[in-house]
Amino acid sequence: MRYLTAGESHGKQLTTIIEGVPSHLPITQEQINDSLRRRQGGHGRGKRMQIEKDTADMTGGIRHGYTLGSPISLVIHNDDFKHWTDIMGEDPFPEGKNIRRTVSRPRPGHADLNGGMKYGHRDLRNVLERSSARETAARVAAGAVAKVMLEELGIKVAGYVREIAGIVSPFDESMSIEERIEKSHASPVNTLDDETTEEMKKAIDDAKKDGDSIGGVAEVYVEGMPAGLGSYVQYDKKLDAKIGFSVMSINAFKGVEFGIGFEAAKRNGSEVHDEIGWDEERGYYRKTNRLGGFEGGMTTGMPIVVKGVMKPIPTLYKPLQSVDIESKEPFSASIERSDSCAVPAASVVMEHVVAFEIAKAISEEFPSDYFPRLKEALDNYREEVRNF
Ligand SMILES: Cc1cc2nc3c(=O)[nH]c(=O)nc-3n(C[C@H](O)[C@H](O)[C@H](O)COP(=O)(O)O)c2cc1C
Ligand SMILES: C=C(O[C@@H]1CC(C(=O)O)=C[C@@H](OP(=O)(O)O)[C@H]1O)C(=O)O
């Protein structure tokens, strides 16, 4: 399974093409739209999210509620495009004159300057349109299809916020996946704890009032994994590495950790590694899950627990200094609109990119063009591993 996305932030539409999804997977547009709706929410989003009402047109690969096995094509229209036809439309000289302003002022923390130098774009709009996190809507659409597939295979994925601007949400680690899903969906900051929800909301509002932005930590929790997905035999087959890559590829993500992650550096081995147990019902299990569901690049069968850290949004109402690429003069960046915190939305993005990586790993381990056959192979494998 693989996917590509195309489209600019203020262009006509975003397109996602997913290849390799087996046939006969039941799927509805509403399942994809539900994921897209969740990504648009979260306290701290800017005015753009009031303009967009993301929904996916299923333009290929799905018929009568089932996948066909052919490439799936999903289209999300940018409602904001109607305000940008002069700048993003096909006509280079609308109304017969060149009324377009080019962007010559790179924003610190964005792809603008590096992208301009690399692609030879003196109009930095040609960079910022594509580097914008608007593209994560298209990624969530792909992940939504993956999540439907995982759900059919008994694998559930939850994404939520663990920390915003140093406010850490405590919660009972034994909380069930269903409860994690329910709580994160109901919270305005996608977190699992009611008390810190209010604190986080306030921190976001305060940052906005100060013209500043804040970041945080998102976590994804996956339950129902079979042991042995991924591999130790070659570096590029390690599933934890692939998940790490997918998390790091989300805009503004600066780090990733599994289980106790960086905390492991401070502990003795006896306080890090998870002892192995066995019982009739479960087969092999780990008595703790400090390593977050991975050993040797493979799943242990315990829940996958992965965190990603998001830097504060780079566009600030309190302007940062930069240099105009035409005049070479310094300027203070002024802005019209931006998110002040997008960690809640990013937790939804992270949930979906991790889901895609796992669905991909399963389809590589049990390749089949026909979903019921893939499911049967996975069920047989689960039984085999349980009796090992
Ligand atoms: C869901 C989401 C929403 C974002 N919204 C904004 C925004 O409104 N303004 C902004 O400057 N950056 C925003 N970003 C972050 C930028 O896209 C990102 O920092 C920029 O493209 C540079 O990439 P890098 O931070 O990965 O180096 C957002 C990121 C995500 C994941
Ligand atoms: C459009 C989305 O996020 C955008 C991501 C983004 C950025 O620079 O990454 C900047 C903002 O775009 P605009 O300047 O159009 O308001 C966000 O709104 C979205 O998440 O769908």
Side-chain angles (χ1 to χ4, degrees), residues 21-27 61-63 65-70 72 145 371:
V21 179
S23 71
H24 294 266
L25 174 71
I27 188 159
I62 297 171
R63 183 164 177 252
Y66 286 89
T67 55
L68 302 176
S70 43
I72 293 175
V145 175
F371 184 69

Side-chain angles (χ1 to χ4, degrees), residues 337-368:
R337 69 179 183 204
S338 181
D339 299 330
S340 45
C341 177
V343 185
S347 72
V348 179
V349 179
M350 187 171 154
E351 173 187 316
H352 286 78
V353 302
V354 170
F356 194 91
E357 225 39 70
I358 292 169
K360 182 175 175 213
I362 290 176
S363 70
E364 282 165 6
E365 188 73 42
F366 308 102
S368 178

Side-chain angles (χ1 to χ4, degrees), residues 42-44 161-169 187-191 196-197 199-205 207 213-218 310 340-345:
H43 201 71
V161 169
R162 285 303 305 265
E163 184 176 334
I164 285 180
I167 302 160
V168 181
S169 119
S187 161
V189 285
N190 300 38
T191 200
T196 46
T197 295
E199 278 182 63
M200 286 173 176
K201 272 174 70 182
K202 184 171 179 321
I204 294 169
D205 292 342
S213 63
I214 47 182
V217 176
M310 185 182 190
S340 45
C341 177
V343 185

Side-chain angles (χ1 to χ4, degrees), residues 9-10 39 45 48-49 107 110 132-134 337 339:
S9 176
H10 305 99
R39 193 202 68 93
R45 294 287 253 159
R48 174 79 186 269
M49 286 305 96
R107 302 160 304 165
H110 276 276
S132 164
R134 176 73 186 140
R337 69 179 183 204
D339 299 330

